[in-house]
Amino acid sequence: MAKVFIYPATSLILSDMVARFGHEPLGSAIGIRERIQTPGFESPPLQITPEEPKKGLKWAAVEVPSGVRGRMAVYGPLIEAAEAAVIVRDPEFAFGCMGCARTNELILFHLRNMGIPVLELDYPESEDEGIAFVAAIREFLNGLPKEASE
Amino acid sequence: MAEYIPTYVGTVTKYVFVESPLLTPKDLAVRAYEISGGVMIKETCFGLQVTGTPDEVEALVAKVREFDPFHIFVKDRGFPPGDERRCRANLGGARPGYLGHEFEMKKVRYISKGLEAAAATAPSLPEKPKSLDARRLKEMMDAEEP
């Protein structure tokens, strides 16, 4: 079972596909859950403490806005743990403020430069494209190691 | 600032979406209650939210999927159900994340077709022209002796 980072990180379709075909999806829910269930954070509701932008320095330079670094404190450890990635290009709903937009760019940059297997595709717009979409993901995921990592 | 004391520590929460001509979210909820075995289930307009220990939730989700494997979709959720920071009852209006679900639920019928096709056969992928990788291009340029 490989750890597969999904982009958009909140995607229902990608999360389901990865789990359905026998791997572990890594998305924003995993990082958020860790914070939600950790006692002692000082700033609910977002659970982003002043420490988060400091942690984010590992993935983004100091002149990068702290919002991006705060977000990377959530996504960075997941990207580092990822053994593969499935990316949907230009997802319409993944727009947002500049912090989200720049974080998304940084996530894609890291995924493409890590040297892990990456599958990039577009959301299907028809039944035929849906069939090709599922087939591509299935073939990609079947090519990943099935045994547990670590 | 008040200390934050988390609830439902050690649990996982999963969304179960159903988009089926044969199974409504209400039917799914009733069937899920029958096999829940103590796992917390919250009915929603699109399906369920299931909360419990990872093993319990995994087992329940696997059983629930069997009701209509091509039309039931599952994903993780970071927040537990009813969390005041996300529950629309407290916020007034759609909760954060709603637009993403709405967008993807328009696409899942195509995915269902894809899953049915994948189960029926193993279709060969259409040939797509591959663009030249930038690293490969640089290697080719470097290999050129002056």
Side-chain angles (χ1 to χ4, degrees):
Chain A
M1 183 188 288
K3 293 179 176 176
V4 181
F5 192 90
I6 54 171
Y7 178 86
T10 57
S11 172
L12 162 69
I13 292 171
L14 295 183
S15 181
D16 182 89
M17 294 285 107
V18 171
R20 189 184 290 263
F21 294 125
H23 297 285
E24 182 184 346
L26 295 181
S28 53
I30 309 296
I32 296 294
R33 180 185 295 147
E34 187 185 324
R35 281 158 178 76
I36 291 295
Q37 298 194 347
T38 304
F41 277 102
E42 288 178 340
S43 27
L46 294 179
Q47 309 299 309
I48 297 295
T49 67
E51 293 302 310
E52 304 281 8
K54 292 181 199 167
K55 288 181 198 162
L57 277 172
K58 186 169 180 184
W59 298 281
V62 71
E63 64 267 25
V64 172
S66 57
V68 175
R69 284 185 280 127
R71 287 168 173 83
M72 285 309 292
V74 177
Y75 290 116
L78 298 175
I79 293 171
E80 286 197 340
E83 295 160 298
V86 180
I87 295 172
V88 170
R89 286 183 287 254
D90 301 324
E92 272 180 44
F93 72 89
F95 69 91
C97 62
M98 200 50 78
C100 288
R102 293 291 169 261
T103 306
N104 285 344
E105 287 177 7
L106 198 55
I107 288 171
L108 294 177
F109 173 80
H110 282 306
L111 289 175
R112 287 168 179 153
N113 281 279
M114 280 176 68
I116 57 176
V118 175
L119 173 70
E120 294 197 36
L121 63 182
D122 299 304
Y123 272 122
E125 299 291 342
S126 65
E127 289 186 0
D128 288 343
E129 287 182 21
I131 291 169
F133 183 90
V134 174
I137 292 180
R138 191 173 80 148
E139 184 173 306
F140 175 75
L141 294 174
N142 285 345
L144 300 176
K146 284 282 183 190
E147 66 273 13
S149 56
E150 293 176 45
Chain B
M1 200 172 286
E3 189 185 356
Y4 172 58
I5 301 166
T7 53
Y8 304 115
V9 175
T11 66
V12 299
T13 300
K14 294 208 178 204
Y15 283 122
V16 180
F17 290 77
V18 58
E19 174 72 13
S20 168
L22 305 172
L23 190 67
T24 66
K26 183 76 182 171
D27 296 334
L28 184 69
V30 171
R31 292 195 197 184
Y33 282 131
E34 288 171 357
I35 56 172
S36 64
V39 177
M40 182 164 65
I41 292 176
K42 181 177 187 292
E43 287 180 59
T44 67
C45 57
F46 53 77
L48 312 169
Q49 282 181 55
V50 185
T51 303
T53 63
D55 291 344
E56 288 173 343
V57 171
E58 245 355 280
L60 180 66
V61 163
K63 286 179 192 166
V64 164
R65 266 190 201 276
E66 289 171 12
F67 296 142
D68 197 345
F70 304 137
H71 298 95
I72 288 177
F73 299 88
V74 180
K75 82 164 193 175
D76 279 291
R77 187 185 186 201
F79 287 83
D83 189 290
E84 288 192 1
R85 293 159 294 188
R86 283 294 181 272
C87 182
R88 53 178 274 171
N90 307 99
L91 298 178
R95 57 165 195 76
Y98 172 81
L99 292 173
H101 291 164
E102 187 185 36
F103 176 84
E104 286 208 313
M105 287 310 284
K106 291 175 190 162
K107 305 286 183 191
V108 293
R109 57 195 164 122
Y110 306 137
I111 305 297
S112 295
K113 285 286 174 194
L115 290 171
E116 285 169 16
T121 55
S124 59
L125 287 173
E127 282 284 321
K128 283 187 180 175
K130 284 187 78 173
S131 55
L132 185 59
D133 184 59
R135 283 201 193 89
R136 175 78 188 122
L137 176 63
K138 187 165 186 310
E139 283 172 20
M140 290 165 70
M141 290 164 66
D142 292 341
E144 195 77 32
E145 292 295 327

